[in-house]
Amino acid sequence: MAGTSDLKELLTRNMRQSGIYIAFVLIVVLFTIFTGGALLSPGNLTNLVLQYSYILILAIGMVLIIVAGHIDLSVGSVVALTGAVSAVVVIGNGMPWWMGVLAALGTGVLVGLWQGFWVAFVGIPAFIVTLAGMLIFRGMTMQVLGNVSLSPFPNEYQYISGGFLNGLMGGYGYDAFTLFLAAALVVVFVIQQYRGRLAKLKYSQPVEALWLFILKNILVAAVVMAFAWQLANARGLPVVLILLAALILIYGFVSQRTIIGRHVYAMGGNLQAAKLSGVKTRRVNMLLFINMGLLSAVAGIVYSARSNSAQPGAGEMFELDAIAAAFIGGAAVTGGIGKVQGAIIGGLIMAVMSNGMQIMGIHQSTQSVVRGVVLVLAVAFDVWNKKRASAGS
């Protein structure tokens, strides 16, 4: 007979993941109060999505890299390089905007192949390979651009990051399509949660009490619909949010429901055991870095579209933001633990803090200190949680 868990048991058993959600809610509430409600205004929520979407895209790939026991310090430079390649193709050579997108994606894949080769087949630690990549691809960016900025991109390219879907289904002072899509997303989420609960009951695994299951889904639905309502009352649904949502769904499924996803977690948990069990670690590592290069290219396209230019200094410190998002979101320093959803929440925590402090007029130096302290506390929490789990067992 499957057991059920009350709120205290659920929070204790899933301390790493539940703690980050609680922290996110508290941070949003605090900064909403500190900013006099400006944080959650329709216009500011839209700006949050536009300003931090590329960091969240990088965080999706970074958490998988970290779960496998690696790190990637080159993603900021790859963002700059792919944006530069796209700019040279579109602006420098007058080719269609979609050719620039394809060129950027192809460049990202080539970068992933280069770094994956050294990590997977030569055996050089990813830290060293990507540290070298950070320097190599930054230098290549300067060479591609001739150390000058290129702008502007055509309107179609800018639409990738700055476009909105508005008015497709009408609405009286708001965008009905945004609300419809959010409601559909809530329905899909509830169905998945219900099917997951049934699957656990079928195999006699513990599940949360029914009232807690219902409450959790109601709270998620309320948050999603409130967020959608604010967007609907601003400029509608950002195109980049659709892209981000698609990536979260795809990578969440791949990491949790597929063989390749299980292999990534197995490698991070115990590399030697994974090898002995038949996991083709070289192939998995190669795919991980190709994927990271591809997602870095997507982030480079989004960033260059938003800034409407390609710059030699683009993407600086992006790698640190992506790494911080993964660790704050519950990824373990030693690998084997972490989720795409957690990395997104970690990225949103960083985004809310940065945006909230900007609204409050806090100096940039102080913002850096606060973000650094939050990162240290997140990793300290992970270490404490491991010690607590070990003591309990």
Side-chain angles (χ1 to χ4, degrees):
M1 181 68 180
T4 59
S5 304
D6 59 18
L7 183 59
K8 182 178 180 180
E9 286 181 86
L10 187 69
L11 292 177
T12 303
R13 189 173 66 239
N14 301 295
M15 182 63 74
R16 178 183 281 105
Q17 288 298 325
S18 59
I20 194 63
Y21 290 111
I22 294 171
F24 177 59
V25 171
L26 291 176
I27 288 172
V28 170
V29 171
L30 284 175
F31 277 101
T32 300
I33 295 172
F34 293 156
T35 61
L39 178 73
L40 297 182
S41 64
N44 191 62
L45 281 180
T46 300
N47 288 333
L48 263 176
V49 172
L50 299 180
Q51 289 176 4
Y52 297 97
S53 55
Y54 35 87
I55 298 298
L56 298 180
I57 292 170
L58 291 174
I60 293 172
M62 187 64 72
V63 72
L64 297 178
I65 292 285
I66 291 173
V67 165
H70 303 301
I71 202 76
D72 192 337
L73 301 176
S74 69
V75 294
S77 296
V78 180
V79 166
L81 177 60
T82 52
V85 169
S86 182
V88 169
V89 170
V90 177
I91 301 172
N93 292 283
M95 300 184 74
W97 66 272
W98 55 269
M99 290 292 292
V101 171
L102 292 178
L105 294 176
T107 302
V109 170
L110 290 175
V111 166
L113 284 168
W114 167 263
Q115 300 197 126
F117 168 77
W118 293 109
V119 174
F121 293 98
V122 180
I124 302 176
F127 180 88
I128 301 299
V129 172
T130 58
L131 178 61
M134 179 174 65
L135 302 174
I136 292 170
F137 304 131
R138 182 64 64 182
M140 291 177 66
T141 301
M142 295 177 182
Q143 291 177 347
V144 168
L145 292 175
N147 214 20
V148 297
S149 299
L150 279 181
S151 65
F153 282 100
N155 293 333
E156 296 89 346
Y157 191 92
Q158 296 179 51
Y159 189 78
I160 297 172
S161 180
F164 293 86
L165 297 181
N166 199 329
L168 296 181
M169 297 177 64
Y172 297 95
Y174 59 89
D175 179 44
F177 178 73
T178 301
L179 298 179
F180 171 79
L181 208 59
L185 184 63
V186 168
V187 171
V188 171
F189 173 80
V190 172
I191 291 174
Q192 288 182 338
Q193 292 293 305
Y194 180 68
R195 291 179 62 182
R197 179 182 173 85
L198 289 181
K200 289 182 178 180
L201 288 172
K202 181 179 178 180
Y203 293 100
S204 300
Q205 295 179 357
V207 296
E208 65 264 52
L210 181 60
W211 69 268
L212 190 56
F213 174 80
I214 295 173
L215 177 62
K216 178 183 71 174
N217 284 275
I218 290 175
L219 289 175
V220 170
V223 170
V224 171
M225 293 309 298
F227 176 68
W229 175 255
Q230 294 294 75
L231 292 181
N233 280 275
R235 287 178 281 176
L237 187 64
V239 171
V240 72
L241 182 59
I242 299 176
L243 171 63
L244 183 59
L247 290 174
I248 294 171
L249 290 175
I250 292 170
Y251 281 91
F253 175 81
V254 169
S255 63
Q256 300 295 318
R257 304 281 184 176
T258 66
I259 294 175
I260 186 69
R262 289 193 287 271
H263 286 178
V264 170
Y265 282 90
M267 286 170 51
N270 190 322
L271 182 59
Q272 294 304 318
K275 289 180 178 179
L276 292 174
S277 63
V279 175
K280 297 179 180 179
T281 56
R282 288 182 175 180
R283 185 176 69 177
V284 174
N285 279 327
M286 177 62 81
L287 289 174
L288 279 172
F289 280 94
I290 291 174
N291 176 70
M292 189 71 255
L294 183 63
L295 286 177
S296 297
V298 174
I301 293 166
V302 171
Y303 182 75
S304 59
R306 172 156 177 79
S307 60
N308 194 23
S309 66
Q311 307 163 8
E316 289 184 351
M317 303 295 286
F318 281 13
E319 58 276 350
L320 300 185
D321 287 332
I323 292 169
F327 283 134
I328 292 174
V333 179
T334 53
I337 297 174
K339 290 185 177 181
V340 169
Q341 300 93 318
I344 294 299
I345 295 298
L348 289 175
I349 287 177
M350 299 292 283
V352 168
M353 289 194 305
S354 296
N355 183 259
M357 288 187 287
Q358 288 172 11
I359 295 174
M360 295 168 62
I362 295 177
H363 196 273
Q364 187 66 41
S365 60
T366 305
Q367 293 184 36
S368 296
V369 171
V370 172
R371 293 166 67 189
V373 169
V374 170
L375 177 58
V376 170
L377 291 177
V379 177
F381 176 77
D382 175 65
V383 173
W384 171 81
N385 197 41
K386 281 185 178 179
K387 290 181 178 179
R388 184 185 61 84
S390 299
S393 59

